[in-house]
Every structure is written in C-alpha cells, then in structure tokens.
Amino acid sequence: MPISELNDALARYGLRLRGGFATDSEVDRDVLAEAPWARAVILVGNVGSELWDRSGAEITAMTDPDPLDQWTRQTIDPIARSVDGTALYPFDGPPYWPFQRWAERAEGVRSSPIGIQIHPEYGLWHAYRAAILLRNTIHQPRREHAHPCDACVDRPCLTHCPVNAFSVDGYDVDRCVDYVVAAQHDSRSCSGVGCLARLACPVGADWRYQADHARFHMKAFVKARLRARERNS
C-alpha cells in the first residue's frame, strides 16, 4: 500500500501518519529483536480533535476499562496487516516501547516543560497512538524546526496549574490526581475543561481538544492513576 493510501485509510478514523524512520541495527535492537525483518518504523497518531469527530462515539461505546486502547488496537492491527507489517502500541508493557524517542526521530519534536511533547504547529494537542513496523524502507524526511519553548519567556504552562503540580523539578502526579478528583464537579476545573496548564500554552491554540474530548482524556488519566495506586498499595 502506498503511503498516500495508508494516509487515506487512517484518515477515515481521524488518525494521521506522523512520520517515520529507517531502523538502525544499534539504536533499534529492541525492535529488531521483536521483528528482525523490520526496515522502517512509521508512527500513527491524532491531531486536535479529528479523532474525536470521526471515532469518538465508537470509542466511548466500548466497555473495556481502557476504551481508547482497545479501539486503537482493533483499528490499527488490520491496517498494519494490510501493509504486511506489525503494530506496536505505547500502552503495551512493561517494558514499554520508547514512543517519545521515536517521535523525536520521526518528527523532531521535543518535550515541553510539563513533559508533553510539543509540536511547532499543533502545540500540545496531538498524540502518538501506534507504530507500524514495515518490511521495506520508506522515504519520510524529518522536518527540522525550532523548539517552540525556547522562545517562550513566561512559560504559562508552569504557572496555571491550580495546585502547582508542574515545576522545573518535574511533575507531581499524585498532587494532580488528588486535585482533579476533588474538583470533579467543578465545570471550570481540569475535570471540566481539560488540563489548565496545557490550555495555558499559546502554541497550537487552534488545535485544542474539544471540551468533551478533553474530559474523556482527563477521566481516563485519573482512572488509570487510581488503578495504579490500588495495585501499589
């Protein structure tokens, strides 16, 4: 399947091809141990709320504890097979596949001060949902661009969290989760509109998630963290 047809297949679900790279015998030993035949890795993801517009109803109708993960696997596995490839997912693990490192190689993105990788056009409003290993090499040149955060003096993402969960020292995930749970009935809180620190970022404002899309992700995030707490208690 040509890359253009693969893009069309993904677009039907609100997904996009997010770049790729040729495998390297040294750097990608983990991938080649799984699939010695892999000659390239291409990333699949979403931008803005395109995914939600096309597939949100189907995702929310699923009964799995992690409906987006279930939907992603059911959607991407057949597409990967159609190009004689294999799909890998960021939620498979531990150990987990290094999607952040792959995104840096594929699109040149880097982390923002709050940990989410920032894209020069889409800002913080994008995600990588899967990777597809291909048997043939591809020509997907990486676009070089300046890191948006380098020119951001005020860094509002670090000052708009209601409980100061983000700082130059890192991310206090427990403080974040406790606040979101306590404020879940406040329509102006992170539960109602999405992460306030993320919303404060001026980059890619036109791609911000729709409110119901943002609420879905916040709810899923809190559920996952609370389950992790139960397992570790």
Side-chain angles (χ1 to χ4, degrees):
M1 180 186 293
I3 291 296
S4 60
E5 292 184 23
L6 180 57
N7 264 322
D8 291 342
L10 294 169
R12 287 197 290 270
Y13 302 98
L15 295 167
R16 293 191 184 196
L17 180 62
R18 300 290 307 275
F21 52 87
T23 54
D24 181 281
S25 60
E26 290 298 320
V27 177
D28 299 307
R29 282 178 290 182
D30 52 352
V31 170
L32 296 173
E34 175 83 9
W37 45 264
R39 296 293 175 267
V41 179
I42 55 174
L43 298 185
V44 175
N46 63 275
V47 170
S49 284
E50 294 172 344
L51 169 67
W52 201 247
D53 288 337
R54 293 292 183 94
S55 304
E58 184 179 353
I59 293 168
T60 55
M62 291 190 160
T63 58
D64 190 89
D66 299 299
L68 179 56
D69 294 350
Q70 180 192 30
W71 176 88
T72 300
R73 194 186 298 278
Q74 290 182 0
T75 301
I76 299 299
D77 276 353
I79 293 176
R81 288 195 295 269
S82 73
V83 294
D84 197 22
T86 295
L88 304 178
Y89 300 97
F91 46 81
D92 279 341
Y96 295 98
W97 296 106
F99 270 79
Q100 286 196 325
R101 177 160 55 85
W102 290 349
E104 292 173 3
R105 292 169 66 185
E107 290 195 302
V109 297
R110 285 194 280 162
S111 292
S112 67
I114 61 173
I116 304 171
Q117 288 180 311
I118 188 166
H119 188 278
E121 180 181 354
Y122 312 131
L124 303 175
W125 308 103
H126 67 106
Y128 300 94
R129 300 292 172 198
I132 300 178
L133 308 182
L134 299 177
R135 296 175 182 274
N136 299 313
T137 57
I138 57 170
H139 182 62
Q140 284 282 303
R142 183 178 117 162
R143 294 182 296 172
E144 299 296 336
H145 44 70
H147 186 23
C149 301
D150 289 345
C152 183
V153 176
D154 295 334
R155 302 216 163 182
C157 60
L158 291 177
T159 59
H160 278 65
C161 174
V163 291
N164 298 316
F166 300 102
S167 72
V168 293
D169 297 322
Y171 170 40
D172 190 333
V173 63
D174 289 323
R175 179 180 291 183
C176 169
V177 170
D178 289 343
Y179 163 73
V180 174
V181 172
Q184 60 185 308
H185 300 300
D186 183 352
S187 61
R188 299 166 298 176
S189 72
C190 298
S191 292
V193 297
C195 174
L196 295 177
R198 196 174 186 177
L199 284 165
C201 178
V203 182
D206 291 341
W207 294 94
R208 286 174 177 165
Y209 290 166
Q210 299 167 10
D212 54 344
H213 186 190
R215 284 193 294 270
F216 170 84
H217 283 298
M218 185 58 70
K219 185 177 180 180
F221 161 71
V222 170
K223 281 185 175 180
R225 295 305 307 182
L226 292 178
R227 288 201 306 267
R229 279 188 188 179
E230 290 181 2
R231 288 195 300 268
N232 295 329
S233 62

